[in-house]
Amino acid sequence: MGKDQVIIIVGGGTFGLSSALHLGRRGYTNVKVFDPYTIPSPLSAGNDVNKIVDGGNLTTSTDEGYVGTKLFAKTIKGWREDPVFSPFYHETGLIFAASTVEGESNLIARYQPTSAMTKVETAQGFRALMHEGALTGDFPGWRGWYKPGRAGSGYTEARRAMESAFREVKRLNVQFVTGPGAGEVVGLLYESDEVRGVRTKDGLAHKADCVILAAGARSSELFEFEQQLLPKCWTLAHIKLEPQERALYRGNPIMSNIERGFFMVDVESGELKICNEFPGYTNFSVNPATGRKESKVLHRHEIPKEAEERIRSYLSECMPHLAQRPFSFARVCWCADTPDRGFLIGRHPVHKRLLFATGDSGRGFMHITSIGHFVVEALEGTLDPVIAKTWRWRPETAVERDFAHPQKRMGGIRRPEDLGDVKGWTKGNKSSRL
């Protein structure tokens, strides 16, 4: 099929927007993106003040070194050189740490420290890595390393990067269909057992030569993934800094403890964003049609009380002067985990006109610069065979899937928890940013 084929992308989040960008850049002339919200969607995991960019996040049991190297090389090149994204990338470096022997072992396996990184073993050592007065804690039991920014480590202003990509995609004449009726895809359109388009909530059918399903955590509501996708959410909160405090945190490296949490500063608002580390929340209920237990997306602009307690515990160890400060904003953020945490990108083996771009597994946003490149190669049949094999449709990995498996994530009670068991919620600030 030629560059004028009709391509529908379901979802305008990280993977969908990146796919649209790379399709437009390759000269495809008939691309439409459907999303129930304006871009960036307030429900998109990528619509956040900032996200970590670091290749160490790629080191999992199922990412072949070759695939991880190829992916991150393309990703970091985009952050450094692509004018759509480079203004929003800050190569500040990363402090990565753990609090237990088990955690340190996990840390070493994940980040594989090199001679270019600095070992940190004392509270004084951690405090010295940031502006004086930014860190005031005792760092009990903490051990870690500092990875300099030149090694490809920092953060991006996520929302501003998405807005920039959206502007560029529109300039490339990609069409966007948004809104709760016209933009909300409620099902796929089939003809002779082949996917030939989508149906939207307003009752219309939209035909296409290829449908790219990039609906993130909601992808499994539109197609049967045979338990390959498990929607999970994580929690984040903001603390407002006083004007005189903001200089203490601007330009500092990100600090992440894989058993406690991490924080970054929002350069626009001067607020700190803090996340607690744990294996995530599910939201299970029984599907009456299938009788099977499924995790469903539930968006809330507040977080469970235990998440607040863990965030404040993390702060008490590194920044106790902020540990009891009120939250100015809080929300849950949804992703879609595959069993092996590898992406799910490629054509369906039976429905050849259906292509998946999902399974971010909690580490998708930093690849907004590059993931669309690989999606287009999957569309054109030119994707590197090793990458194609790693990211292929693979329901065999989900047979008798253990939904309680932590998938190498640490923190909390060391296994996923369920929102149905939450005893209370901490109110966030329901501001216009939502």
Side-chain angles (χ1 to χ4, degrees):
M1 294 184 289
K3 295 293 178 69
D4 60 346
Q5 63 179 288
V6 179
I7 300 173
I8 286 177
I9 301 174
V10 182
T14 300
F15 283 18
L17 195 56
S18 184
S19 299
L21 175 64
H22 285 271
L23 284 166
R25 284 178 167 176
R26 294 219 191 172
Y28 285 84
T29 60
N30 205 343
V31 180
K32 289 184 179 181
V33 179
F34 285 78
D35 198 289
Y37 296 90
T38 55
I39 311 298
S41 164
L43 305 186
S44 170
N47 189 359
D48 197 354
V49 293
N50 43 35
K51 295 287 189 182
I52 295 174
V53 175
D54 184 77
N57 292 331
L58 298 173
T59 307
T60 71
S61 60
T62 59
D63 278 320
E64 297 177 46
Y66 174 85
V67 174
T69 299
K70 282 277 198 178
L71 174 61
F72 191 69
K74 194 76 175 174
T75 290
I76 198 64
K77 181 178 175 65
W79 286 117
R80 288 171 171 167
E81 301 177 13
D82 190 330
V84 171
F85 298 108
S86 60
F88 312 107
Y89 176 50
H90 304 272
E91 210 156 61
T92 57
L94 171 70
I95 303 165
F96 52 94
S99 300
T100 66
V101 172
E102 181 187 359
E104 187 172 5
S105 176
N106 185 303
L107 198 71
I108 292 169
R110 182 183 302 185
Y111 289 97
Q112 302 174 6
T114 68
S115 59
M117 304 178 193
T118 304
K119 184 73 181 289
V120 191
E121 299 182 281
T122 66
Q124 182 180 2
F126 282 105
R127 291 195 292 262
L129 292 170
M130 294 194 182
H131 301 321
E132 184 176 357
L135 302 176
T136 57
D138 294 331
F139 295 86
W142 285 45
R143 298 287 187 273
W145 284 265
Y146 166 64
K147 180 179 180 179
R150 64 180 180 275
S153 189
Y155 74 93
T156 176
E157 299 169 63
R159 181 182 298 119
R160 295 182 70 192
M162 290 191 82
E163 290 169 346
S164 178
F166 178 48
R167 289 191 295 270
E168 178 65 8
V169 172
K170 287 196 297 182
R171 190 189 69 80
L172 293 169
N173 295 317
V174 171
Q175 301 175 61
F176 286 84
V177 184
T178 59
E184 183 171 355
V185 173
V186 296
L188 302 180
L189 182 66
Y190 292 87
E191 290 182 4
S192 301
D193 202 36
E194 182 55 87
V195 174
R196 292 307 307 265
V198 301
R199 296 187 183 277
T200 47
K201 195 172 183 179
D202 58 6
L204 297 180
H206 307 266
K207 290 201 172 183
D209 297 302
C210 179
V211 173
I212 299 176
L213 184 53
R218 291 191 179 274
S219 296
S220 55
E221 296 178 13
L222 298 172
F223 192 79
E224 173 55 66
F225 279 84
E226 302 180 52
Q227 299 190 315
Q228 289 178 86
L229 293 185
L230 176 62
K232 287 183 189 173
C233 67
W234 282 264
T235 57
L236 63 89
H238 292 189
I239 288 177
K240 189 174 291 295
L241 298 174
E242 299 299 329
Q244 65 272 20
E245 294 176 314
R246 295 176 184 179
L248 291 177
Y249 294 96
R250 283 199 177 98
N252 285 327
I254 301 155
M255 189 174 70
S256 173
N257 183 310
I258 64 171
E259 298 173 278
R260 295 289 189 266
F262 63 89
F263 79 86
M264 296 178 278
V265 68
D266 174 18
V267 296
E268 283 192 284
S269 68
E271 296 185 349
L272 284 182
K273 171 186 140 182
I274 313 102
C275 301
N276 59 300
E277 287 280 8
F278 72 119
Y281 285 109
T282 54
N283 184 38
F284 278 115
S285 61
V286 176
N287 184 328
T290 64
R292 193 168 65 195
K293 189 169 72 169
E294 298 176 353
S295 182
K296 295 291 186 180
V297 174
L298 172 67
H299 288 286
R300 295 185 69 148
H301 293 287
E302 51 190 350
I303 61 176
K305 286 185 176 179
E306 63 261 38
E308 177 186 12
E309 292 169 0
R310 291 167 187 169
I311 286 174
R312 297 196 183 283
S313 175
Y314 162 68
L315 290 174
S316 72
E317 296 185 3
C318 58
M319 296 182 290
H321 61 290
L322 299 177
Q324 297 307 315
R325 192 166 294 188
F327 292 160
S328 58
F329 176 75
R331 75 157 173 153
V332 295
C333 180
W334 286 87
C335 299
D337 270 1
T338 59
D340 53 19
R341 292 186 66 188
F343 297 155
L344 184 57
I345 294 175
R347 291 187 185 270
H348 190 273
V350 175
H351 307 291
K352 301 293 187 179
R353 294 176 183 262
L354 178 62
L355 192 151
F356 302 105
T358 188
D360 61 286
S361 298
R363 55 187 180 84
F365 183 81
M366 70 173 171
H367 301 298
I368 190 173
T369 64
S370 68
I371 202 66
H373 164 84
F374 298 101
V375 172
V376 176
E377 288 194 336
L379 172 75
E380 296 177 340
T382 60
L383 186 59
D384 183 302
V386 178
I387 299 176
K389 180 181 178 182
T390 302
W391 294 347
R392 74 190 186 283
W393 176 262
R394 50 192 190 280
E396 69 277 4
T397 64
V399 175
E400 298 183 355
R401 182 173 181 178
D402 179 7
F403 292 127
H405 196 286
Q407 296 185 288
K408 292 198 171 183
R409 296 186 177 99
M410 306 188 77
I413 59 174
R414 302 291 182 95
R415 59 175 173 79
E417 301 167 68
D418 195 79
L419 293 181
D421 298 325
V422 166
K423 304 302 182 185
W425 293 78
T426 298
K427 296 293 182 181
N429 178 24
K430 296 185 178 181
S431 70
S432 59
R433 290 176 298 166
L434 307 186

